[in-house]
């Protein structure tokens, strides 16, 4: 626990309770309450346990599980959240009175906490049921099974991106395309998933260089998945898109994401190709895709490298001028082969957060001027903060999305628990390889890799997370922490994952609390859209 984080448990005061405190220590036992609520939400509740923790403190109220955290943007107030992510902001005095059970009834703080089921007045059955319902809604993904299935048709690619995360191969190298046998076996595994709604996403390399694999898998899934909802998507440079391929993608309602890193000077430096003019070639593909599939089905993903850090406004302006209205600004990955180029392309998280704040403020400025533009990752975070629902975004799940929500089928027939796990595999770390695509799904899900993920997969149990008020909005991402700290259960507080998300949540809370009505309206509109597992907005 950090000095800025408190949990509603008997040791939240930083020391063992004194004799004077012992008389009401049980009412403050947040960890026990969490077990009760989680059991009621995802299993069978226990009335015996409910009665054990129904005690009230000296102020006549009982404390349901809350977590508290100080953030720079809150001007001396503390963020307090319940298990479902509903929040209140308290002064230091109000927070102290909450923890020692003396917060006066009838105050605005008391009423806000009571309304959000952070405290109870003795009748615990109703708030327990309501909290369990909220938690069940927020964690609905737990019961879905793997819904995102990522296919890697080929490792071949004609780009030489400095921040590339995967082991790309030259265009003319043989042996790096997925075989028909492995492709059809992947379809078997996809359809073994119990998820009612499936997404099949093609990545690379450059996936269009193995369009025959894309076509085979798409047609087979379509034929065999009758009655199930299936979404097809692809991340591509679009350099190899043809009218015939575009027509096929349109007929199967593909959603496309193109990597565009901002103005031509930045993009072409980040993503060089033989003959140059990388951005111009991508934009030709974007134009064709928009013409055939429609503009709403073509999105941009922007990786921020060191060369773009000093020009966030120019980057936003460039993307908007190209017709994109949903931007996804992401930092350089710490996975796979990108680690080797970190000295050239990387930066510390503080630099990215400074970039992101300026970019986000520019996007909000455009909205105030009448141009509707959104930043997709901010929208994902806001959905977690402001609505009862999870976005579905895999990196922000607890239990973790790796394996439970996504499976990755590599070109060679290996199956990984996440795309990041595949990148680690390419550099000699097979920790998250579940097995071979020819193995049944049940066997893959019982692999040693899944046991490893389980150890670090529940954020509420991880050091640095368990007492943080942001944890209901955040995720555990054990693959990231294995890659950066060597342990799926590493202390999150020292990780760039934690630093990034604490910074982003702090920025958004500051805008919600201190921004004008127009800013709050824009942020709320982003939160109430629907988002896919990869962070892309759904129509």
């Amino acid at each position: 626990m950090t000095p800025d984080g408190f949990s509603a448990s008997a040791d939240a005061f930083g020391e063992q309770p004194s004799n004077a405190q012992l008389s009401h220590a049980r009412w403050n036992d947040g960890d026990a309450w969490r077990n009760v609520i989680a059991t009621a939400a995802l299993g069978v509740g226990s009335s015996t346990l409910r009665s054990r923790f129904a005690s009230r403190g000296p102020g006549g109220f009982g404390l349901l599980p809350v977590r508290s955290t100080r953030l720079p943007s809150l001007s001396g107030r503390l963020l307090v959240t319940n298990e479902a992510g509903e929040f209140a902001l308290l002064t230091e005095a109000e927070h102290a009175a909450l923890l020692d059970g003396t917060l006066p009834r009838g105050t605005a703080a008391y009423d806000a906490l009571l309304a959000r089921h952070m405290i109870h007045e003795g009748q615990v059955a109703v708030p327990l049921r309501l909290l369990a319902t909220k938690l069940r809604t927020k964690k609905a993904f737990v019961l879905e099974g793997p819904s995102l299935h990522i296919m890697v048709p080929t490792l071949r690619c004609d780009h030489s991106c400095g921040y590339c995360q995967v082991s790309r191969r030259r265009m003319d190298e043989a042996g790096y395309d997925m075989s028909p046998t492995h492709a059809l076996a992947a379809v078997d595994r996809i359809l073994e998933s119990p998820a009612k709604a499936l997404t099949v996403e093609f990545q690379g390399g450059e996936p269009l260089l193995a369009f025959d694999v894309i076509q085979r898998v798409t047609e087979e899934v379509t034929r065999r998945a009758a009655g199930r909802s299936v979404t097809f998507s692809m991340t591509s440079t679009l350099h190899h898109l043809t009218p015939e391929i575009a027509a096929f993608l349109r007929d199967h309602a593909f959603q496309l994401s193109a990597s565009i890193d901002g103005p031509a000077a930045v993009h072409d430096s980040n993503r060089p190709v033989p003959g140059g003019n990388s951005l111009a070639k991508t934009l030709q593909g974007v134009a064709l895709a928009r013409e055939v599939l429609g503009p709403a089905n073509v999105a941009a993903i922007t990786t921020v490298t060191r060369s773009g850090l000093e020009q966030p406004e120019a980057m936003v302006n460039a993307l908007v001028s190209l017709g994109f209205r949903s931007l996804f600004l992401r930092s350089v990955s710490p996975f796979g082969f990108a680690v080797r180029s970190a000295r050239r392309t990387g930066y510390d998280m503080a630099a990215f957060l400074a970039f992101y704040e300026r970019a986000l403020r520019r996007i909000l400025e455009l909205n105030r001027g009448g141009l509707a533009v959104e930043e997709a990752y901010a929208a994902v975070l806001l959905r977690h903060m402001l609505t009862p629902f999870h976005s579905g975004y895999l990196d922000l799940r607890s239990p973790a999305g790796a394996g439970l929500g996504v499976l990755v089928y590599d070109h060679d027939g290996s199956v990984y628990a996440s795309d990041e796990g595949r990148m680690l595999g390419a550099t000699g770390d097979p920790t998250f390889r579940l097995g071979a695509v020819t193995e049944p799904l049940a066997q893959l899900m019982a692999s040693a890799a899944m046991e490893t993920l389980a150890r670090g997969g529940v954020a509420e149990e991880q050091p640095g997370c368990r007492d943080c008020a942001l944890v209901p909005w955040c995720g555990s991402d054990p693959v990231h922490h294995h890659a950066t700290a060597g342990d799926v259960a590493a202390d999150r507080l020292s990780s760039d994952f934690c630093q990034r998300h604490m910074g982003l949540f702090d920025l958004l809370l500051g805008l919600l609390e201190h921004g004008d009505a127009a800013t709050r309206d824009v942020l709320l509109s982003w939160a109430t859209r629907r988002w896919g597992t990869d962070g892309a907005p759904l129509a």
Side-chain angles (χ1 to χ4, degrees):
M1 184 185 301
T2 68
D4 289 343
F6 304 86
S7 66
S9 57
D11 64 356
F13 307 92
E15 57 186 10
Q16 293 299 315
S18 67
N19 290 335
Q21 293 168 330
L22 285 175
S23 63
H24 65 273
R26 283 192 305 164
W27 76 271
N28 198 22
D29 198 339
D31 289 337
W33 263 121
R34 289 190 177 101
N35 291 333
V36 176
I37 293 165
T39 301
L42 302 173
V44 179
S46 167
S47 58
T48 302
L49 285 175
R50 286 201 297 269
S51 64
R52 276 184 59 195
F53 300 104
S55 300
R56 287 178 283 176
F61 65 88
L63 186 60
L64 291 164
V66 297
R67 297 178 176 90
S68 307
T69 297
R70 294 181 178 87
L71 293 171
S73 70
L74 298 183
S75 304
R77 290 183 294 172
L78 287 92
L79 171 71
V80 183
T81 60
N82 66 11
E83 291 297 281
E86 295 172 308
F87 70 94
L89 301 178
L90 302 183
T91 66
E92 293 281 356
E94 291 167 341
H95 183 258
L98 171 67
L99 290 183
D100 66 20
T102 60
L103 187 67
R105 294 191 182 209
T107 61
Y110 185 98
D111 292 344
L113 294 167
L114 186 65
R116 291 166 176 79
H117 306 108
M118 298 179 183
I119 59 176
H120 68 83
E121 295 181 331
Q123 299 297 320
V124 298
V126 172
L128 172 60
R129 285 199 300 270
L130 291 171
L131 268 175
T133 298
K134 293 174 183 178
L135 185 61
R136 186 163 55 243
T137 299
K138 204 79 164 189
K139 303 284 190 181
F141 56 80
V142 170
L143 304 178
E144 291 177 356
S147 57
L148 175 60
H149 298 264
I150 298 176
M151 304 280 296
V152 183
T154 182
L155 288 186
R156 294 182 295 127
C157 184
D158 53 355
H159 280 60
S160 301
C161 304
Y163 56 75
C164 184
Q165 303 167 151
V166 298
S167 52
R168 72 174 188 90
R169 297 294 175 172
R170 297 193 314 271
M171 293 267 290
D172 58 353
E173 285 192 79
Y176 294 100
D177 290 3
M178 181 177 282
S179 70
T181 299
H182 286 154
L184 293 177
V187 173
D188 292 337
R189 302 294 82 78
I190 291 169
L191 297 178
E192 284 175 355
S193 171
K196 295 180 180 179
L198 300 169
T199 297
V200 181
E201 179 176 319
F202 298 94
Q203 295 187 10
E206 169 48 59
L208 286 178
L209 294 175
F211 177 68
D212 59 319
V213 178
I214 297 174
Q215 185 174 22
R216 181 180 297 111
V217 169
T218 301
E219 291 175 343
E220 189 69 7
V221 170
T222 300
R223 183 180 68 83
R224 295 174 53 189
R228 300 175 75 174
S229 171
V230 181
T231 299
F232 295 103
S233 65
M234 180 172 62
T235 300
S236 169
T237 67
L238 299 182
H239 284 204
H240 303 277
L241 186 67
T242 66
E244 294 75 21
I245 292 176
F248 176 88
L249 301 179
R250 175 202 60 209
D251 294 344
H252 291 86
F254 265 70
Q255 297 174 357
L256 303 183
S257 295
S259 296
I260 300 180
D261 288 357
V266 175
H267 180 99
D268 290 352
S269 174
N270 286 350
R271 307 179 59 82
V273 293
N277 297 315
S278 176
L279 178 60
K281 294 172 182 175
T282 291
L283 294 180
Q284 290 177 1
V286 167
L288 175 58
R290 284 174 171 167
E291 178 184 351
V292 178
L293 284 78
N297 293 312
V298 186
I301 296 177
T302 300
T303 301
V304 181
T305 59
R306 188 181 300 167
S307 61
L309 280 178
E310 298 304 320
Q311 43 186 323
E313 294 85 4
M315 187 171 292
V316 169
N317 293 343
L319 292 165
V320 170
S321 71
L322 295 174
F324 292 103
R325 296 297 179 263
S326 179
L327 314 184
F328 196 149
L329 306 175
R330 63 181 186 179
S331 57
V332 172
S333 166
F335 293 99
F337 290 89
V339 175
R340 299 179 182 177
S341 61
R343 289 185 178 180
R344 290 186 291 108
T345 62
Y347 39 79
D348 62 30
M349 193 50 61
F352 175 76
L353 290 171
F355 163 91
Y356 186 91
E357 179 173 357
R358 287 174 56 187
L360 187 64
R361 292 187 183 279
R362 174 55 181 156
I363 292 169
L364 291 170
E365 181 184 13
L366 291 172
N367 278 271
R368 286 193 292 271
L371 184 62
V373 183
E374 64 192 355
E375 203 289 309
Y377 202 64
V380 166
L381 302 181
L382 288 162
R383 184 171 178 85
H384 294 186
M385 296 165 64
L386 301 178
T387 81
F389 308 105
H390 196 276
S391 66
Y393 190 70
L394 288 159
D395 291 349
L396 294 179
R397 287 188 180 185
S398 175
L404 295 176
V406 58
L407 294 174
V408 180
Y409 309 94
D410 206 357
H411 74 287
D412 63 356
S414 295
V415 182
Y416 290 92
S418 71
D419 201 33
E420 293 79 9
R422 171 177 75 99
M423 298 166 193
L424 291 173
T427 57
D429 180 354
T431 301
F432 303 105
R433 185 181 185 274
L434 305 184
V437 72
T438 51
E439 300 173 37
L441 180 61
Q443 186 172 333
L444 297 172
M445 299 301 288
S447 64
M450 290 301 297
E451 293 182 11
T452 298
L453 287 166
R455 187 168 63 85
V458 179
E460 291 84 351
E461 296 179 352
Q462 301 309 310
C465 291
R466 63 170 66 100
D467 299 318
C468 177
L470 302 175
V471 72
W473 304 336
C474 203
S476 60
D477 203 350
V479 179
H480 180 102
H481 291 92
H482 170 86
T484 57
D487 186 359
V488 294
D491 185 356
R492 270 43 176 175
L493 282 177
S494 60
S495 75
D496 63 332
F497 180 91
C498 177
Q499 294 165 13
R500 177 162 62 104
H501 287 95
M502 286 197 74
L504 295 177
F505 283 125
D506 184 41
L507 171 61
L508 293 171
L509 279 167
L511 290 169
L512 288 168
E513 286 302 304
H514 306 303
D516 57 22
T519 295
R520 291 193 294 271
D521 286 346
V522 170
L523 297 177
L524 181 60
S525 73
W526 294 358
T528 51
R529 289 201 58 181
R530 295 176 60 235
W531 302 89
T533 52
D534 58 355
L538 300 177

